[in-house]
Amino acid sequence: MSQPSSPATVVIYSGGMDSYTVLHRALREGREVHALSFDYGQRHARELDVAREVCHKLGVPHQVVDITAIHGLIDASALTDAGRELPDADYAEANLKDTVVPNRNMILLSLAIAKAVNIGAERVDYGAHGGDHVLYPDCRPAFVDAMNAVAGIANFEPVSLHAPYLRAGKAEILADGLAMGLDYAETWTCYRGEALACGRCGSCRERLAAFAANGVHDPLAYQADSDEVGDV
């Protein structure tokens, strides 16, 4: 008698450290993981190359979806408009509101849910976390709960939305990944997407603070020594 297949999960995988940890967590659960990445015209598209490399190494099915056709609908952000200055500041609404991409997670989750239904996956995982609540409405529990409810009724096949770090901070996510033995040199966080991480943008600063909180050195290469950049 054949054994039943493992439950399938679609993981929205950006190539950043949060989704990298979510991806490995789903694999540790023994799930059949399908990684899904999106090119929406982000300035830090280098994260997509990192995602490809990790999935190739892991042997995880990976699809990068080109949705740059909608760029003109979501370009009112420093992350999608190269003409805007990226703020070098800590995570706070007043400092980094210009990095909010209009309706990003609703768009990406809708497409991920469609893929889940299409391949018979019962779950979509994404890396919303507590550290983003102050800035990004589409990472807050109210949004996740509402999207989970919609995912349960939008198709004949209900899909559940899973955000395992919804109430955890970046340092807690990193601690979980370190306990799993993950190598965070395989991630990309910097908003600038240059040859080396800048260490100054809000995303780099939050990452460096998480490593400092865990008492470990960030293995990612920076434009300046990571003990000096970001004032963390």
Side-chain angles (χ1 to χ4, degrees), residues 4-59:
S5 59
S6 301
T9 298
V10 174
V11 175
I12 297 180
Y13 181 38
S14 69
M17 61 185 293
D18 305 323
S19 60
Y20 175 78
T21 313
V22 169
L23 178 78
H24 281 85
R25 183 171 175 141
L27 289 170
R28 293 292 180 102
E29 291 179 16
R31 289 183 168 267
E32 177 190 320
V33 172
H34 297 259
L36 186 62
S37 304
F38 297 93
D39 182 352
Y40 55 89
Q42 61 268 49
R43 292 170 65 171
H44 52 304
R46 179 171 175 178
E47 65 181 5
L48 298 176
D49 294 330
V50 172
R52 290 185 184 97
E53 292 169 6
V54 168
C55 289
H56 178 73
K57 177 180 177 181
L58 293 172

Side-chain angles (χ1 to χ4, degrees), residues 3-222:
Q3 294 294 318
S5 59
S6 301
T9 298
V10 174
V11 175
I12 297 180
Y13 181 38
S14 69
M17 61 185 293
D18 305 323
S19 60
Y20 175 78
T21 313
V22 169
L23 178 78
H24 281 85
R25 183 171 175 141
L27 289 170
R28 293 292 180 102
E29 291 179 16
R31 289 183 168 267
E32 177 190 320
V33 172
H34 297 259
L36 186 62
S37 304
F38 297 93
D39 182 352
Y40 55 89
Q42 61 268 49
R43 292 170 65 171
H44 52 304
R46 179 171 175 178
E47 65 181 5
L48 298 176
D49 294 330
V50 172
R52 290 185 184 97
E53 292 169 6
V54 168
C55 289
H56 178 73
K57 177 180 177 181
L58 293 172
V60 170
H62 181 220
Q63 183 177 4
V64 179
V65 182
D66 184 348
I67 57 172
T68 52
I70 69 168
H71 187 264
L73 305 179
I74 58 172
D75 61 357
S77 168
L79 295 191
T80 49
D81 181 358
R84 294 176 181 242
E85 184 66 26
L86 275 168
D88 292 337
D90 290 326
Y91 260 71
E93 183 175 353
N95 293 340
L96 295 179
K97 192 172 183 179
D98 201 36
T99 65
V100 176
V101 178
N103 211 34
R104 176 174 57 181
N105 281 344
M106 185 178 287
I107 294 167
L108 304 190
L109 285 166
S110 294
L111 294 172
I113 291 165
K115 179 177 177 68
V117 172
N118 195 50
I119 66 173
E122 62 180 26
R123 202 174 83 181
V124 168
D125 293 14
Y126 91 117
H129 67 85
D132 281 341
H133 294 176
V134 67
L135 182 62
Y136 300 115
D138 56 7
C139 290
R140 295 171 184 167
F143 172 81
V144 176
D145 290 344
M147 282 298 293
N148 188 47
V150 169
I153 63 173
N155 299 276
F156 289 115
E157 302 83 1
V159 174
S160 65
L161 185 58
H162 185 57
Y165 298 114
L166 184 58
R167 290 173 172 80
K170 182 81 77 172
E172 295 172 86
I173 297 172
L174 177 59
D176 198 16
L178 293 173
M180 287 189 276
L182 303 187
D183 180 5
Y184 284 91
E186 297 181 331
T187 64
W188 183 261
T189 298
C190 184
Y191 280 156
R192 299 184 189 280
E194 298 171 353
L196 297 176
C198 73
R200 303 182 308 276
C201 70
S203 191
C204 280
R205 292 167 71 94
E206 186 189 35
R207 175 186 175 118
L208 287 164
F211 275 91
N214 280 276
V216 294
H217 184 77
D218 187 348
L220 200 64
Y222 286 86

